[in-house]
Amino acid sequence: MEKEILFGAAYYPEYMPYERVKEDIRMMKEAGMNVVRIAESTWSTLEPEDGVFDFSYIDQVIEEAGKAGMKVIIGTPTYAVPSWLCRKDPGVLVETGQGESYYGRRQIFNLLNPTFRCHAERVIRKLAEHTAGAGPVIGFQIDNETKHYGNMGREIQAAFRKAMEEKFQTTENLNKAFGLAYWSNSIHNWEDFPDMRGCINGGLASEFSAFQRKMAADYLMWQADLIREYKREDQFITHNLDFEWKKFGADIAQDGYSYGVQPDINHYEAAKALTLAGTDIYHPTQDDLTGAETAFGGDSIRSLKDSGYLVLECQAQAFKYWTPYPGQLRLQAYSHLASGATGTLYWNWHSIHSGYETYWRGVLSHDLDTNPVYEEAAVIGKEWSKLGEKINGLQKKNEIALVIDNHSMSALNWFPIDKDLSYNDVVRWMYDSLYEMNLECDVVDVRALDPSRYKMIVTPALYSVPEEMLKKLETFVREGGVLVSSFRSFVADEYLRVYHDKAPHLLHECFGMSYNQFTEPGRTRLKGKEVRYFAELLKREGAESMADYEHKYWGRYAGMTHHVFGEGHAYYLGCWTCKETLKELYRTAAKSAGIFCPELAWPVTVRSGVNREGKQIHYLLHYSEEEQEILCPYDNAVDLLTGKSYRKGEPICLSDWDVKILEEA
């Protein structure tokens, strides 16, 4: 791991209206930046014609960066294919459920197409061979925000059929697993396996979605294996894993932000190809800056590896909604470090003068001159140069795991909780409530979950769960753990067959309750607060009711329960309600688990860990324009940014969008 914090930007001299590499590197260096990422977006510049390569722009950046003592990350340029390749083989373009793709956009290729693979391998090998020996090159980013791109073409359909035949052996086993007798969908010869574009079986379709995700992860492993043939021991392999894009306006990229679990690649699978986890995190700012997206993304990516992670893209200015208020850029940067990041890079260094992302502005505006964002970035750069070793690579040992699951997400796309409530809405509701209470957690893929590492496990809408995992969770509670689960958890098996006994399956004794009805809440309330979208009618069978529904007919049922089971505790929330009610449940559950629940709450966010010197570090991140005074909660601490010391109970003044980094003495 690098001793210094990596700080820089994606850089595209090939997009510039005139030659200015030396000037850009000078300005970056003056701002305290020490790294650039290059090459990931311009295959057509690197290989303008089939087999004709031009490394001149790459060589120039590496040379000038080296002279300035800066580092370079090389991106493989495969996510945006050149037009000559599509002319050579139109099958390079992905075929989706909506039909054939047309050339123009990025990420429209069929990652299983043999022609694509052949030419992608050639350009990757040429680029790696050319750059791996250069001193400034510290690592490689393979591809860019990889997903399966809705691939339903001939190659992936054939591969899926083969995989199903290997997994189930007989068509009878396949039919039974997915209940294909429904609507005469059962098959009795593998040659009759249907085109997945017409599939109406949620279980089989979700199995195909899992296969699509695996093909995307396998593709990254394929690229990583190629890079490993050329890279030095000291060079990393990373990738910018991204998140579901939450749209809030027109159907264009500029209206949205990083929101929740990525549906089109599984991060746990994809991370196996990487030596250093990486991510892209974009979020609302100005009056809507909360830090929640940064924290969720960080807690997700950090949990994939033991060596921290790199934020390969985050916003500087971007579009009009995100022009940061003074102080916000700095607050955002420290928020990444507070989650365990080892560095951040902006997308991008300069605003682009033509193309689809013309108004996704970079550190520099279109005049390519200094501006308030550049000047604030320079403040960050100078502080990080000074404090790097003390604050880089924060190590965390969280006591709470929040469990995520791509397969449950696919299931709830087929069988929605409500037209206005998605799987990721439930995930973020349960995560954000913990975040606002300063109860830190790891966001863990269900397949990576080791219950023995945690005191408390939270399961948002964990719809599809194999019995083996259910038994693990039951044992976790029996042996003293605390389980907090939401509605639509533990409903179906891995093939989306709804369990045909008491719900929640295998855990009804653990929770001390069951249900066999659910409803639209209508006028129902819980603890005087509105219930929305969905309500399970919980029947107590040993559990205590923490709150019954308030409704003429549903009032006989509990909406929130607690049960002592063995040495542990199981909590269940059967409906969507306000965060305040969920937080009450969390306070009780945390107390049961022996987890300290801080008095401080958002907009003052506390993120803690241990630095490389073994010192306890606490980030105080103030997400508000209103000044606030808090009392120091630690016996003796010093603010690493100012050198000021505090004793327990002494006031700490937080200005608008402020940051304090307290090191316990």
Side-chain angles (χ1 to χ4, degrees):
M1 186 185 292
E2 294 281 333
K3 287 187 177 181
E4 62 181 337
I5 301 167
L6 293 176
F7 182 52
Y11 182 45
Y12 307 98
E14 61 273 34
Y15 294 170
M16 281 293 192
Y18 59 92
E19 163 57 42
R20 51 174 284 138
V21 172
K22 289 184 179 180
E23 172 65 8
D24 286 327
I25 295 295
R26 181 194 66 78
M27 290 182 72
M28 291 179 199
K29 189 70 175 177
E30 284 189 3
M33 292 183 175
N34 57 19
V35 65
V36 291
R37 183 193 71 179
I38 61 173
E40 89 288 347
S41 290
T42 50
W43 186 347
S44 64
T45 304
L46 176 60
E47 189 180 5
E49 298 178 54
D50 191 353
V52 178
F53 296 92
D54 178 5
F55 295 100
S56 58
Y57 72 101
I58 294 171
D59 292 340
Q60 185 183 15
V61 174
I62 292 174
E63 181 182 357
E64 295 302 327
K67 289 178 183 176
M70 292 180 65
K71 301 172 174 64
V72 178
I73 299 169
I74 301 292
T76 62
T78 43
Y79 89 121
V81 296
S83 59
W84 59 257
L85 181 58
C86 299
R87 176 171 54 82
K88 186 172 187 176
D89 179 2
V92 165
L93 296 173
V94 69
E95 185 176 356
T96 71
Q98 286 69 51
E100 296 179 356
S101 298
Y102 294 91
Y103 184 80
R105 298 179 67 96
R106 61 182 180 174
Q107 298 176 319
I108 54 167
F109 61 89
N110 174 0
L111 47 77
L112 295 182
N113 175 269
T115 304
F116 168 77
R117 283 293 183 105
C118 174
H119 287 78
E121 177 174 350
R122 184 176 67 182
V123 74
I124 291 167
R125 287 188 181 279
K126 289 283 188 182
L127 181 62
E129 182 181 41
H130 190 82
T131 59
V137 174
I138 59 170
F140 292 85
Q141 175 187 301
I142 49 174
D143 206 66
N144 190 79
E145 297 181 341
T146 300
K147 293 172 272 292
H148 59 67
Y149 314 130
N151 192 348
M152 286 193 163
R154 173 173 50 84
E155 293 92 350
I156 199 167
Q157 298 250 16
F160 180 61
R161 189 191 111 181
K162 181 181 178 183
M164 292 299 94
E165 189 170 356
E166 290 173 353
K167 181 173 183 176
F168 292 102
Q169 298 296 305
T170 69
T171 56
E172 182 181 359
N173 291 339
L174 178 83
N175 293 333
K176 183 178 179 181
F178 295 108
L180 295 180
Y182 180 79
W183 279 2
S184 193
N185 272 209
S186 55
I187 63 169
H188 303 282
N189 187 311
W190 286 107
E191 297 301 316
D192 296 328
F193 195 88
D195 189 311
M196 290 305 299
R197 285 173 291 193
C199 183
I200 53 86
N201 182 283
L204 185 59
S206 295
E207 187 83 4
F208 180 64
S209 294
F211 186 78
Q212 289 175 305
R213 289 190 293 270
K214 184 178 184 302
M215 292 299 97
D218 288 350
Y219 167 70
L220 286 179
M221 183 63 80
W222 172 77
Q223 285 217 15
D225 287 342
L226 294 176
I227 293 296
R228 270 187 271 272
E229 294 183 33
Y230 299 91
K231 82 175 194 72
R232 304 190 308 261
E233 276 280 315
D234 61 336
Q235 291 171 328
F236 58 74
I237 298 174
T238 191
H239 176 75
N240 52 341
L241 298 162
D242 66 348
F243 297 90
E244 183 188 50
W245 195 248
K246 176 83 167 182
K247 293 174 181 175
F248 57 78
D251 188 20
I252 56 174
Q254 286 87 341
D255 280 345
Y257 57 94
S258 306
Y259 184 61
V261 178
Q262 171 54 252
D264 295 335
I265 192 170
N266 178 273
H267 287 177
Y268 169 68
E269 291 178 338
K272 294 175 183 178
L274 314 178
T275 63
L276 174 64
T279 189
D280 293 353
I281 300 174
Y282 295 100
H283 51 80
T285 186
Q286 298 180 0
D287 298 333
D288 297 318
L289 178 63
T290 67
E293 287 73 31
T294 299
F296 177 82
D299 289 339
S300 301
I301 303 301
R302 184 193 64 249
S303 300
L304 297 172
K305 295 281 184 184
D306 295 326
S307 56
Y309 65 97
L310 184 59
V311 180
L312 287 151
E313 291 185 21
C314 61
Q315 69 222 49
Q317 299 185 79
F319 37 91
K320 65 179 183 178
Y321 314 103
W322 290 357
T323 306
Y325 294 156
Q328 287 190 335
L329 195 76
R330 179 171 175 265
L331 174 60
Q332 292 162 198
Y334 280 105
S335 298
H336 290 300
L337 297 190
S339 291
T342 60
T344 65
L345 286 79
Y346 295 112
W347 201 91
N348 60 0
W349 167 245
H350 60 90
S351 300
I352 297 168
H353 296 81
S354 59
Y356 187 75
E357 293 173 313
T358 295
Y359 288 100
W360 193 306
R361 293 165 298 155
V363 176
L364 302 187
S365 298
H366 288 103
D367 62 1
L368 304 177
D369 204 350
T370 60
N371 61 46
V373 168
Y374 172 82
E375 290 159 6
E376 193 165 316
V379 172
I380 299 165
K382 288 175 175 59
E383 289 178 345
W384 286 8
S385 296
K386 178 183 175 184
L387 293 175
E389 291 197 38
K390 279 190 172 288
I391 61 176
N392 188 17
L394 196 69
Q395 297 295 307
K396 293 175 179 284
K397 191 174 181 181
N398 290 328
E399 298 175 309
I400 302 173
L402 184 137
V403 180
I404 56 172
D405 179 35
N406 277 100
H407 205 56
S408 291
M409 181 188 223
S410 294
L412 291 171
N413 285 335
W414 272 88
F415 308 113
I417 301 168
D418 184 271
K419 66 180 178 65
D420 295 320
L421 188 75
S422 71
Y423 170 79
N424 269 329
D425 290 334
V426 182
V427 168
R428 285 295 304 272
W429 172 62
M430 298 196 81
Y431 176 86
D432 288 10
S433 296
L434 287 170
Y435 167 76
E436 291 168 12
M437 297 173 69
N438 285 319
L439 288 172
E440 290 198 66
C441 69
D442 295 337
V443 177
V444 184
D445 185 279
V446 66
R447 290 178 292 174
L449 178 65
D450 176 1
S452 67
R453 292 182 56 185
Y454 301 100
K455 292 182 177 180
M456 180 168 144
I457 294 173
V458 178
T459 69
L462 191 58
Y463 181 93
S464 168
V465 197
E467 288 193 336
E468 181 184 2
M469 177 54 67
L470 293 172
K471 290 172 183 176
K472 279 187 181 180
L473 293 174
E474 183 188 50
T475 300
F476 169 74
V477 178
R478 190 189 298 276
E479 295 180 352
V482 173
L483 178 62
V484 179
S485 298
S486 83
F487 55 93
R488 304 317 275 155
S489 287
F490 323 123
V491 175
D493 69 9
E494 59 268 42
Y495 305 122
L496 305 197
R497 294 178 300 195
V498 174
Y499 287 116
H500 52 81
D501 59 355
K502 276 190 175 184
H505 179 64
L506 289 190
L507 293 178
H508 56 275
E509 290 185 6
C510 177
F511 285 108
M513 64 81 190
S514 69
Y515 69 92
N516 55 19
Q517 286 188 294
F518 50 81
T519 183
E520 167 70 29
R523 294 177 284 107
T524 306
R525 302 182 81 79
L526 191 75
K527 287 186 169 262
K529 305 293 185 181
E530 182 183 20
V531 175
R532 300 176 63 194
Y533 307 122
F534 194 90
E536 293 167 349
L537 307 179
L538 309 181
K539 299 181 293 183
R540 293 187 296 112
E541 297 173 358
E544 66 166 318
S545 173
M546 298 179 71
D548 290 342
Y549 291 121
E550 296 155 21
H551 187 275
K552 180 175 180 178
Y553 303 107
W554 310 141
R556 59 188 286 202
Y557 300 103
M560 186 164 64
T561 61
H562 165 231
H563 188 228
V564 177
F565 181 73
E567 299 297 317
H569 299 258
Y571 295 84
Y572 195 92
L573 184 53
C575 62
W576 172 284
T577 185
C578 66
K579 283 184 181 177
E580 287 73 18
T581 300
L582 176 56
K583 289 175 184 178
E584 285 183 38
L585 186 156
Y586 278 153
R587 286 187 195 96
T588 305
K591 184 177 181 181
S592 300
I595 296 171
F596 174 67
C597 196
E599 292 183 16
L600 277 175
W602 190 89
V604 179
T605 298
V606 182
R607 309 280 281 172
S608 302
V610 176
N611 70 7
R612 291 173 176 173
E613 299 173 353
K615 298 285 186 71
Q616 193 73 29
I617 301 292
H618 307 280
Y619 283 80
L620 305 183
L621 307 165
H622 185 217
Y623 294 97
S624 174
E625 65 180 24
E626 303 295 332
E627 292 187 5
Q628 186 168 346
E629 183 178 279
I630 64 171
L631 301 181
C632 178
Y634 313 111
D635 290 337
N636 290 284
V638 61
D639 180 11
L640 295 177
L641 291 166
T642 63
K644 185 172 182 179
S645 297
Y646 298 93
R647 292 179 181 271
K648 190 166 188 175
E650 289 184 347
I652 299 174
C653 296
L654 298 170
S655 61
D656 51 326
W657 315 110
D658 204 358
V659 179
K660 306 288 184 191
I661 308 176
L662 301 186
E663 179 184 88
E664 288 195 55

